[in-house]
Structures are given as C-alpha cells and as structure tokens.
Amino acid sequence: MEWLVVHFCIGVAGTWLARRYALMRSLIDQPGERRSHSVATPRGGGIAIVISLLVAAVALGVRQPEQAPIMLAFGVGLVMVAGIGWVDDHRPLSPWIRLGVHVLASGLFALAAGDLYDSVWIAAAAFVATLVLTNVWNFMDGINGLAASQALLAAVGLAGMAGGAFGLLGLALAAACLGFLPFNFPKARIFMGDVGSGAIGFALGALCAVAAARLGEKFALVLLPVSVFVVDASLTLLRRVLRGERWWTPHTQHAYQAWARAAGHGRVTLCYAAVLLVVIIAGWGGLPRDAFFIAGTVGAWYMCCAFFWLVLQKKFRAQLPD
C-alpha cells in the first residue's frame, strides 16, 4: 500500500509542479484543426509519471539485485525516450530523430531482457513491444484523460501477469497515472506531452515483454491490456499510409477523435476505460485455459476491435477532417 501511495503522491506533486513550469515557460498547446482541444492548455505533465517510474526502477534494482541489470536498461531507455520527448515539447524535432532515439532505447532494453531470460525471442519481443507502444501511446494521446486512463488500466492488467519486480513497476505506473488524471480529466489543466506519452508506452512495452516471458506459451494474453489503443492506432496509420498521406504528421483521424467530436471527451474516455476493464478481467479469468484457446480468444477480440473501429469511422465520418 505504501508503494502505491508514494507513487500516487509523486504523480500529483510532479504534475502540479510541471504545470507551474509550463505556464512559466509558455509551453502551451494551442487549439487547431489538427488538434482535438478547443482551449489553450499547458503541456509536459507526463514528466511526473517518468519521475515515478525512475524512482521505482532504482528502488527495485536496489532491493532485488538480480533485477538490477534489466532495471538499469529500463531506466536508461526510459530517460532516452522521455528526454527526446521533453526536448520536442520545448522545440519540435524531426520525427525521424525521435524515432531513432526510440529504436536505440528499445534496442538497449531488448539486449538486457534477452540476457536475463537467455532468449533471442524475448529480446525480439522486448524490442518490438517497446518501440511499437512508445509510438502508439504518442499517437493516441489526443483527448482528455484517454492516454492516462488506458495506461493505468493496462499497467494494472500487465502487473498481474508479470509479477515480481515488474509487477511492482506496473503498479507504480498505475499509481502515478492516477495522480496525474485529476489534472487531465474531465477538464484538462495540463496535457501529458511527448515526454509522458512516449515514456508510458515504453514502460508498457517493457511490461508486455516481461509478462510474455513469464506466461510462456500463453503469452498472447499480454496483447489484451493494450488492444484498444493498438487497433485504433494501427488501422488509422494503415489507412493514412494507403492514402499516401504524410502519416507522421499530427491529425485527428483516429476513431476516438471522431467519436469525441460528436460525444465529448469525457464520454469517450469513460467508454474506452470500461471496455478495457472488462477485457482485462476476462484476460485474468482466461489464465487457466490452454494456449490454443487463449490465442483464439485474443484473435477474436482483435477482430471485434477492428469491426468497432470501422463502425465508429463510418458513423462519425462527418466529424473527420478532409
């Protein structure tokens, strides 16, 4: 319990300080046609979540020496992802520079994970998971409370699957997100910024890799806590690529953005959270089942997500920019 309280307090205090800093430095996101908000709002509040994760990684590395190498790799990778996001929040950078740093950070963590579990497959999974989710959370951070609430629930779900040191790391992430949320939902007094969204995705990717290593042949379960974001981000990105658009530039074409324009940020965020909560509970309930059943169920759920993505895009097509 003390662990959760400490990281919740870091989330609250850190976000409050980050807001003061953003206002002082005029780090403000202005409304525009490529954004989903209508009021000028400070950004960079996600630095509080980064600090909480770093504190957790150091504490766990000290308390559990056998975990120190992977916690060190995680901490360094997290600083790289958060650092390039922090710079980008102050002065926009080329997306290719950011991606290059993300690749290096993911590669570092993948090496440590592969060494700890003595598996090339775990190393490959760690690289893909951290790199993909770093960018998925960055893409999907677009309306009040969505990225933080999804991260909170996903972190709890993956913590239960990972167990051990990374289970505690997941709980620290969840508690810090809970501390950040009052500043971001239902009304946003500060945005997470690239410093927070990318770092959260990196942390969730690390949790996915470790949880997959622990679950063995039932590894497909780790795909459930991140499913809603992965499907929306992937299908939207694929459509933009097929249309020949500049897919790396800001846009408002995600299903959640179209829905939010019609229904409001609060309703969409709560609906996404309710769906993910049910999916995570179902995932925990499926642990005793065999690997074949789990893989089929996860595949079926992803197809359902794709179907609902199509439904939302069609229903709210008029809400999307040309």
Side-chain angles (χ1 to χ4, degrees):
M1 186 60 160
E2 293 83 357
W3 180 259
L4 297 176
V5 171
V6 166
H7 292 285
F8 172 78
C9 290
I10 293 174
V12 171
T15 306
W16 182 79
L17 290 171
R19 187 173 186 275
R20 287 177 61 89
Y21 172 83
L23 291 171
M24 182 178 65
R25 294 293 300 270
S26 297
L27 297 178
I28 308 294
D29 273 348
Q30 299 294 338
E33 64 176 9
R34 298 302 177 188
R35 298 185 183 276
S36 297
H37 63 282
S38 57
V39 178
T41 307
R43 63 177 178 270
I47 188 67
I49 300 171
V50 175
I51 293 171
S52 176
L53 284 168
L54 289 174
V55 169
V58 170
L60 291 168
V62 170
R63 287 166 54 180
Q64 302 182 34
E66 72 280 3
Q67 296 289 325
I70 195 169
M71 285 296 170
L72 176 61
F74 171 79
V76 173
L78 185 74
V79 169
M80 291 172 67
V81 172
I84 199 66
W86 180 254
V87 172
D88 191 61
D89 284 334
H90 286 72
R91 179 175 58 84
L93 298 172
S94 163
W96 308 114
I97 293 176
R98 298 201 308 270
L99 181 60
V101 173
H102 296 166
V103 168
L104 292 175
S106 295
L108 176 64
F109 182 75
L111 288 173
D115 181 65
L116 178 65
Y117 294 102
D118 192 25
S119 169
V120 174
W121 293 110
I122 294 300
F127 178 79
V128 172
T130 51
L131 182 60
V132 169
L133 292 183
T134 292
N135 288 280
V136 163
W137 244 260
N138 185 265
F139 292 158
M140 296 291 288
D141 179 26
I143 64 172
N144 299 350
L146 184 66
S149 61
Q150 289 286 300
L152 189 162
L153 293 171
V156 171
L158 290 169
M161 297 176 190
F166 272 84
L168 289 172
L169 188 72
L171 293 179
L173 172 56
C177 287
L178 186 61
F180 169 81
L181 267 171
F183 297 88
N184 188 242
F185 183 83
K187 179 180 179 181
R189 290 184 285 157
I190 189 169
F191 292 146
M192 190 177 292
D194 288 346
V195 62
S197 59
I200 285 174
F202 182 83
L204 290 172
L207 285 168
C208 281
V210 173
R214 184 187 180 208
L215 292 173
E217 63 181 9
K218 300 180 180 181
F219 70 91
L221 278 174
V222 305
L223 297 175
L224 291 178
V226 296
S227 57
V228 176
F229 264 26
V230 167
V231 171
D232 196 343
S234 300
L235 292 181
T236 302
L237 178 63
L238 177 61
R239 185 177 65 175
R240 284 173 60 80
V241 170
L242 293 176
R243 287 178 172 180
E245 299 176 5
R246 293 167 60 87
W247 53 267
W248 58 89
T249 59
H251 63 89
T252 54
Q253 297 182 28
H254 289 288
Y256 79 87
Q257 290 171 317
W259 189 12
R261 290 192 177 197
H265 292 205
R267 181 178 297 179
V268 174
T269 294
L270 291 175
C271 285
Y272 269 61
V275 169
L276 187 60
L277 180 60
V278 171
V279 169
I280 288 172
I281 293 172
W284 285 341
L287 277 170
R289 305 301 295 265
D290 62 83
F292 181 78
F293 176 86
I294 289 172
T297 301
V298 172
W301 170 243
Y302 267 71
M303 286 190 286
C304 287
C305 287
F307 172 75
F308 283 113
W309 181 88
L310 288 170
V311 169
L312 289 173
Q313 293 284 4
K314 183 178 180 180
K315 182 174 182 179
F316 300 110
R317 184 175 299 166
Q319 305 295 329
L320 292 171
D322 294 332

